[in-house]
Each structure stands twice: as structure tokens, then as C-alpha cells.
Amino acid sequence: MEIWPGRPYPLGATWDGQGVNFSLFSENATRVDLCLFDGQTGRQSACITLSERTDQCWHCYLPSVRPGQRYGYRVYGPYDPAQGHRFNPHKLLLDPYAKQITGQMLWHDHHFGYTIGHPDEDLSFDTRDSMAGTPLCQVADPAFVWGDDRRPNIPWDKTVLYELHVKGFTRNHPKVPEHLRGTYAGLATQPVIEYLQRLGVTSVELMPIHEFLDDRHLLDRNLTNYWGYNTIGFFAPTVRYSATGELSEFKTMVKTLHSAGIEVILDVVYNHTAEGNERGPTLCFRGIDNASYYRQSPIDPRYYMDFTGCGNTLNMLHPRVLQLIMDSLRYWVTEMHVDGFRFDLAAALARELYEVDRLSAFFEIIGQDPILSQVKLIAEPWDVGEGGYQVGNFPVGWTEWNAEYRDVMRAYWKGDGGRTGHLAYRLTGSSDLYESSGRRPYASINFITAHDGFTLHDLVSYNDKHNE
């Protein structure tokens, strides 16, 4: 196979019409192998040691590779958890910039960088190969005819958001063709569009569609991570919601909704990944460069700083991690034509050293970006860390899920006394939260309930859960 030096940028696998450029960032690795796999048999067909390294990016160009090629990485370096390093070349790793991820995750103990059950726990080193049961990256072909597609650009004061789960919403719609239920294509069908238009919806907010994993402990109990807040690929739409397995299906969905005047907002989870805490699997970021990608305890780098309740927090202090997130956001706007984002546990993204900082690099970069500053930006303005509740404290240009509105409305409905003044503030734009910072009333995303609790019907019907 002919191998050319390639370029460090762009990161990921990039098809240019003649071949594919591969580039992977790792600051602390000592060697990187690119593994290619046969699409029919699933067997490894080539393993290429990347000899070119520029600005901490390992790269090559393969003129014979085409879209559809499946691949993964093995990354070498120190396995020293006490110093924050967890390299293990026995583990096949996903590309953080993969545009498509294919194959089902079939959990096994070999997916962990340490030996489960060993007395040294995660300080031990596992030498079993993890290729079996590991999803693979796939080189994507970005070609698509967008025609005259353009963003609806609904003004904020006219926006009516409808949060939905792609699978659940379309599985339950009786007029969606059965073979399209649970898919992006199902969401683009005429019965769905007509239903949304009858409701007066201007914008659909899709619960996570980035590639995510079902946690092993859930599968062991015959459960799944249904909501999808467990991301492993920030560029790849999850294939589990695809009727065709093609990127064009998601793009067609966006184009169809746009033609009906409906915006597409993505619920995105950039605060943590599916790799969990120090006892989690080694599938991607941990094996590529654990010390760069994750916030580690300043006292003991073996452990992670967890502001999310999910075991880890992405390291927003590292410029390459910020680049990953910004590149991902721009990709979804420029290549997939989405209209905005709702940021899960957004306060975690603004933590510089420890406290939430409204002037953090994350906000500054988005604020000056000519693309991202022009789309809809919605914060879930809290995380689970100390001082994480930040309703009213996000910068100009951002809107927020207004938990004060939610709580006051619920209390008023329930008949709690002394709420009239609070109710007036919420109905008139929550000026007590937003006016002093120069933000308009539309900075408040007014809601009564969302996926983190009862449906609206159950909220006004029951005191306790009824999941039977």
C-alpha cells in the first residue's frame, strides 16, 4: 500500500476526492498505529505505523483508500495511572473526529485497560486485545446536494421549542411508515411535519444523536441508555437511528424540516464521555491521551474531577480539547446544516480552574466565532459540582433553560401561596435574572417539564413515578 506523509490538519479521516488524509492528536504518545479493516469480513487488512508527527498530530495520506473504509487506532505510551497516563496498545480505539461509527459495542472485560478483578484494580495492565466487539470508524463521503437549503432563522421571540427523542417520537406516531419508525427518515415524513405545524412548533430540539454507548451495567440488567447522554463520538450521528446507515439520511431530514420552516436544534453532551471514571473502559480518549482529554485531580492524577456525575469531565483547559468541541460544533452547522445547540450541563464547560467562569475560554471562543455566534445557543445552566447552579449567569448571546420559571409555575399550579410576585417576573421575561447583564427577555427558555422528569401529563396527574 502506498503511504504518503499527509497533513496534520484537518484532524480525523478526510476524503478529498483522490485519497484519504488521516490525522490524530496525541501529545504524550510515543507511537501511533492506524489499523484498517475489511468491510466484508471485519478482519484487519493493514496496520500502518504513523511516522509523521507535526504539532503533536500523527498523520499520513493513503491515496488508495476510499469512503467506506473502516479503521481504528492503537496508541503507545506510558501506562502510569498515578501520573495520569493510561496508554494501552492492546486496545483498539475510536477516532475522536470520526464522522461515521459502525458496529455494535459488545461488552467484554477486554475493553478495559486494566484487568478487572485484579487486586491492584485500575493500576494493573490488561494485555488482551479489544478488537472483538469494538465499533469501528468509517471514512465518510460528505457529498450531498443541499440545493437552496437555508436556515429558517426563526426570531427568538417567535421560537416554540419541541424537545423530542428521534426514536421514541417516531416509533409512537401511527402515521409514520413502519419501516421508518425510530429513524431520522421517520422524523422527516409528512405526518410528523404536519403534526408539528399544527402545534405551532418552530424548532425541534433533538435529544442526543451523537454516537453514544449503552453502559455495561445497564445492559447487564437488560436496560439501555435510552436518552443517549453518554457520548463517544462528537462528529458521528448515531447509526441506531438510521434506516439506511448513510450520512445523507440525517442531512435529508434537516433539509426536509427546513423546507417546512422548522429549525433543528441538537442537544449536545460535551461535558463528559462514555468512558466513565478510572474504572471505566478504554475506547477512545482515555487511550489516545488521557492526561490531555480529561480533568484530573491535582492531588492524584489517577482520579478524575467529576463535575458531571458521570465519572469524568472533559478538560476545557487544554487547547486541543477546546478545538475538538469547536470543530465539532462548526461541523454540525456547516456540514449538517443544524440551527443551534442545547448544551447539557453547560456550567461544566465554563469551569476554568474550579469555579464556573462566565468569561471562560469556551464562551470567548464561541462569542467571537463568525459561525457559532450566529446560531441558537441554549444552556442547561447547571452541573453537579459546587457552585454549579448558574441560572441567569450566562453571557450575552446565550439563552438558558429557566429553572426558576419551571419551579414557580409548578408551585403556582399546585396552589402554593405567596407566588404572585414571582409569577409576574416569570411571565414578563425574568428581568430579575437577565436585565442587569444586558440580555433580553428571550434569554429565558420557559418550560414546565422536560426529559429529566415526568411528562406534562404525568406531572399534573401523579405525585410519584409510575413506570410499571
Side-chain angles (χ1 to χ4, degrees), residues 41 50 83 103 224 260 324 401 415 426:
T41 66
L50 302 184
Q83 298 300 315
T224 63
L324 169 77
W401 275 24
R426 302 307 150 230

Side-chain angles (χ1 to χ4, degrees), residues 23-42:
S23 181
L24 180 78
F25 160 76
S26 181
E27 179 178 350
N28 296 294
T30 58
R31 170 181 158 185
V32 173
D33 288 351
L34 169 65
C35 305
L36 304 182
F37 295 87
D38 185 278
Q40 298 298 320
T41 66

Side-chain angles (χ1 to χ4, degrees), residues 149-164 187 196-197 200-206 250 253-266 336-341 374-378:
D149 177 72
R150 60 187 62 188
R151 293 190 355 228
N153 284 321
I154 308 297
W156 266 121
D157 61 340
K158 304 295 183 183
T159 299
V160 178
L161 290 162
Y162 189 110
E163 183 189 46
L164 63 84
L187 192 58
L196 294 171
Q197 290 174 328
V201 170
T202 68
S203 314
V204 290
E205 183 179 296
L206 307 185
F250 183 91
M253 176 198 73
V254 173
K255 183 178 178 180
T256 304
L257 289 169
H258 281 179
S259 68
I262 298 173
E263 295 178 317
V264 178
I265 311 292
L266 299 188
M336 308 296 262
H337 285 210
V338 305
D339 303 283
F341 305 94
Q374 301 305 305
V375 301
K376 288 184 171 172
L377 303 171
I378 305 170

